[in-house]
């Protein structure tokens, strides 16, 4: 295969591909109907021309027949008048017109067949154009729906690789990370606050216990008698119920004040 053959085939292939991609179904349908309308106009003109020619041939044939009859009548008149030579000349003229009328009638029959063919073609083309007009809008709507569906599928397929969608997803992840950090900070702040209050409460209890222990030790050291080891232990007085109740009430009041 020669270089120029390969180059020519490559150019034709690229051109065909460009033409195929550039074809718009809606525009092609409109142009096709317009072309058919143009063909219909040309065919109507051809039919009109054929009919006009048919009428002209028919008129010529009728005129030839009329002249043939006229010269026949003249031949009769000349023969009646004894003008045999004149009658022969009239018959010769009649023969000429008669032959012309016969030829024109034969041509008229052929022309009539062509006119009938053209009329049938015209009727068929008119039917096809009417059908094409009916289908055109439907086909255009179907083509637009198919193109919209194709664009939608392409958009859905490109969502994963689209830079805008990737940036959107990245910002969504960033917002989620910020929310997680905010929640963690809030939990840590709450935990620190709880620990501070717990420390305060724990420290107060320890201080209270420490003060109570100090008071008990100091009080016990001051009241402890220096008695011999062999001395008998002091007798314990029985605790009165009223005294216990009074201390209990005092403890309740102190707790309520806290």
């Amino acid at each position: 295969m020669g270089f120029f053959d390969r180059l020519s085939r490559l150019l034709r292939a690229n051109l065909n591909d460009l033409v195929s991609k550039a074809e718009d179904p809606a525009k092609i349908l409109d142009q096709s109907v317009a072309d058919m309308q143009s063909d219909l106009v040309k065919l109507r003109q051809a039919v009109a021309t054929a009919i006009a020619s048919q009428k002209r041939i028919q008129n010529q044939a009728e005129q030839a027949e009329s002249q043939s009859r006229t010269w026949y009548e003249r031949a009769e008149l000349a023969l009646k008048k004894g003008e045999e030579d004149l009658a022969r000349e009239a018959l010769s003229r009649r023969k000429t017109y008669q032959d012309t009328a016969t030829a024109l009638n034969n041509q008229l029959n052929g022309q009539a067949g062509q006119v009938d063919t053209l009329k049938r073609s015209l009727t068929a083309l008119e039917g096809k154009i009417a059908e094409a007009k009916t289908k055109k809008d439907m086909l255009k709507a179907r083509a637009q729906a198919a193109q919209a569906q194709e664009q939608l599928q392409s958009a859905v397929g490109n969502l994963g690789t689209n830079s805008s969608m990737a940036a959107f997803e990245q910002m969504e992840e960033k917002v989620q990370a910020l929310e997680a950090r905010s929640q963690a900070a809030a939990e840590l702040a709450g935990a620190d606050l709880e620990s501070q209050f717990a420390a305060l409460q724990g420290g107060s209890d320890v201080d209270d216990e420490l003060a109570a222990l100090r008071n008990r030790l100091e009080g016990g050291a001051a009241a402890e008698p220096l008695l011999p080891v062999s001395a008998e232990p002091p007798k314990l007085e029985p605790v009165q119920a009223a005294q216990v109740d009074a201390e209990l009430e005092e403890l309740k009041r102190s707790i309520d004040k806290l």
Side-chain angles (χ1 to χ4, degrees):
M1 182 183 297
F3 172 77
F4 291 104
D5 291 337
R6 294 171 58 190
L7 180 60
S8 175
R9 183 173 292 103
L10 178 61
L11 292 175
R12 291 197 305 271
N14 290 332
L15 288 175
N16 289 331
D17 183 64
L18 289 175
V19 170
S20 298
K21 291 180 179 179
E23 284 181 344
D24 186 354
K27 294 180 180 179
I28 296 300
L29 288 170
D30 291 336
Q31 186 61 43
S32 298
V33 173
D35 292 341
M36 286 189 284
Q37 285 289 146
S38 178
D39 293 339
L40 179 63
V41 171
K42 293 178 181 179
L43 185 57
R44 284 175 177 172
Q45 292 175 350
V47 172
T49 302
I51 293 174
S53 177
Q54 183 183 17
K55 293 294 184 181
R56 185 175 61 255
I57 293 172
Q58 185 176 359
N59 291 333
Q60 291 175 354
E62 290 176 354
Q63 290 176 3
E65 290 176 353
S66 176
Q67 290 293 329
S68 175
R69 288 192 298 271
T70 298
W71 284 106
Y72 186 78
E73 292 174 355
R74 289 177 178 179
E76 287 181 343
L77 179 62
L79 190 59
K80 287 179 180 178
K81 298 295 184 178
E83 298 290 338
E84 184 174 349
D85 293 336
L86 188 59
R88 183 178 291 105
E89 183 66 23
L91 290 175
S92 177
R93 293 286 185 89
R94 174 186 179 267
K95 179 72 166 84
T96 301
Y97 281 109
Q98 191 174 19
D99 293 341
T100 302
T102 300
L104 290 173
N105 285 325
N106 292 332
Q107 185 178 356
L108 183 62
N109 292 331
Q111 188 75 11
Q114 293 180 0
V115 170
D116 291 339
T117 301
L118 289 173
K119 286 182 177 180
R120 287 194 297 269
S121 299
L122 179 63
T123 302
L125 183 58
E126 289 175 344
K128 289 181 179 180
I129 292 176
E131 183 180 1
K133 288 181 178 179
T134 302
K135 289 183 177 180
K136 183 185 69 172
D137 294 335
M138 179 183 64
L139 291 174
K140 289 171 66 175
R142 288 170 57 185
Q144 292 173 355
Q147 290 175 347
Q149 182 67 22
E150 183 179 1
Q151 292 175 357
L152 178 61
Q153 294 296 333
S154 178
V156 171
N158 291 332
L159 284 180
T161 57
N162 190 288
S163 58
S164 299
M165 179 56 67
F168 183 87
E169 293 177 352
Q170 184 178 3
M171 290 303 101
E172 183 180 9
E173 293 177 357
K174 188 172 183 178
V175 169
Q176 293 175 353
L178 290 174
E179 290 176 347
R181 289 168 55 184
S182 175
Q183 293 175 358
E187 292 178 0
L188 291 176
D192 184 63
L193 187 62
E194 292 292 338
S195 63
Q196 291 179 8
F197 277 106
L200 290 176
Q201 293 175 356
S204 178
D205 292 341
V206 172
D207 292 340
D208 292 341
E209 291 181 1
L210 181 59
L213 179 60
R214 184 181 294 110
N215 291 333
R216 188 177 61 184
L217 291 176
E218 290 176 354
E224 183 179 358
L226 298 174
L227 297 176
V229 178
S230 60
E232 295 181 359
K235 295 182 179 180
L236 299 176
E237 295 295 334
V239 179
Q240 300 296 327
Q243 184 180 0
V244 174
D245 293 336
E247 292 180 358
L248 181 60
E249 290 297 329
E250 184 179 358
L251 180 59
K252 289 181 178 180
R253 285 194 297 270
S254 65
I255 294 174
D256 293 336
K257 293 179 179 179
L258 295 177

